[in-house]
Amino acid sequence: MLRQRIITAVILAPLVLAGLFGLSGGAFAVFTAAVILLAGWEWTNLAGVAGVAGRLGYVALLALLMLAGWYSDAVNAAWPLWVACAGWLVSVYWVAGYPDRGRQWRSVTARLTIGLWVLLPCWAGFVQLRDSGAQWLLYVLLLVWLADIGAYFAGRRFGRRKLAPRVSPGKSWEGVYGGMAVTALLALGYTLGFSLSPGDGLWLVVTTVGVTLVSVLGDLLESMFKRWRGIKDSGRLLPGHGGILDRIDSLTAAVPLFALLRLWH
């Protein structure tokens, strides 16, 4: 399994980095759209769609909505990001009340609808961040990766209070705090590296800590649906790593919020 994970990472890492930072404009939008469409295929599994035709139909719907968003310029608007923020706020209620509140999203239709506000605003956020400068796209990626690393080690060393034991028993509040501490250091490093003013630096630290906290919801929401479906991974597209969604779940929450806060600032 470890060998398989390493081989997959060695093959994919250069391709992903080239796509994210070597492309711009329409080419970047197409590249990230392809990733989101693959994640959409996996989302149908979380939603409980069994037939291939139904799963392909959902992916086609995502693609059509992306095309409409691109040609209407909605991909560059703030409202998709606001939709995402509203959705993630509701997800707090669902995760905190799992499984009792499952009746609110138990139907296949409900879970497919949730996938729209999880995936499409994430794509819009990627496009907007890339247009604002590659450094901010890199920043949000580092934020999520470092948050995961900080949470893992802090949780192993200090984890006592469970974050959402019915959804993801391994996560703890101490792990969350560890992730926030590491990403706050990232914000300080960016402040110094890009010679930001004290006010801009403070804004970045506060924003980073908030986005780090929200990014956990992306992981928890997917974990909740996987637990409900009784599956370990969202898919098998990445040998040794599970599915695309398993790799970008935190980004689906972090990217739209960070992009929205960038628009504000």
Side-chain angles (χ1 to χ4, degrees):
M1 177 63 74
L2 178 60
R3 180 183 178 184
Q4 194 174 47
R5 288 174 66 91
I6 293 173
I7 292 173
T8 300
V10 167
I11 294 173
L12 286 183
L15 296 176
V16 171
L17 292 174
L20 290 176
F21 300 105
L23 302 176
S24 60
F28 177 84
V30 170
F31 174 79
T32 48
V35 175
I36 294 299
L37 290 176
L38 291 174
W41 169 264
E42 294 178 348
W43 190 275
T44 59
N45 184 33
L46 296 184
V49 180
V52 173
R55 300 183 71 179
L56 288 174
Y58 186 73
V59 173
L61 174 62
L62 285 173
L64 287 174
L65 291 173
M66 286 179 176
L67 281 173
W70 179 260
Y71 285 108
S72 67
D73 206 36
V75 69
N76 291 310
W79 68 262
L81 310 179
W82 280 111
V83 169
C85 290
W88 289 113
L89 188 61
V90 174
S91 74
V92 176
Y93 178 76
W94 288 334
V95 169
Y98 180 82
D100 298 336
R101 295 167 187 160
R103 65 184 181 278
Q104 298 173 6
W105 47 259
R106 191 172 298 168
S107 71
V108 172
T109 301
R111 279 176 283 169
L112 289 176
T113 303
I114 291 168
L116 297 180
W117 64 252
V118 169
L119 298 173
L120 293 175
C122 180
W123 175 64
F126 267 119
V127 172
Q128 292 186 33
L129 286 175
R130 183 64 181 89
D131 287 345
S132 69
Q135 72 272 20
W136 293 115
L137 175 62
L138 175 62
Y139 185 85
V140 74
L141 293 174
L142 289 174
L143 185 157
V144 169
W145 294 336
L146 291 175
D148 285 344
I149 294 171
Y152 175 77
F153 285 105
R156 282 178 60 89
R157 177 64 179 86
F158 304 107
R160 296 291 184 274
R161 296 174 296 162
K162 298 299 182 182
L163 177 62
R166 294 183 178 182
V167 173
S168 186
K171 287 184 171 54
S172 67
W173 278 107
E174 289 80 6
V176 174
Y177 299 148
M180 293 166 70
V182 172
T183 57
L185 293 176
L186 170 67
L188 290 174
Y190 247 64
T191 297
L192 297 174
F194 286 92
S195 301
L196 301 182
S197 68
D200 287 342
L202 178 61
W203 174 89
L204 186 59
V205 171
V206 172
T207 296
T208 296
V209 170
V211 172
T212 301
L213 182 60
V214 172
S215 72
V216 178
L217 282 173
D219 189 311
L220 290 176
L221 185 70
E222 191 206 2
S223 295
M224 183 178 73
F225 288 147
K226 287 194 295 186
R227 185 167 292 274
W228 179 261
R229 290 275 289 120
I231 56 179
K232 181 177 182 294
D233 299 316
S234 62
R236 301 176 181 176
L237 293 175
L238 303 177
H241 292 266
I244 299 290
L245 271 173
D246 297 322
R247 303 278 69 82
I248 69 167
D249 50 7
S250 296
L251 286 169
T252 59
V255 167
L257 177 58
F258 189 73
L260 181 62
L261 292 172
R262 283 285 304 158
L263 285 178
W264 270 4
H265 187 65

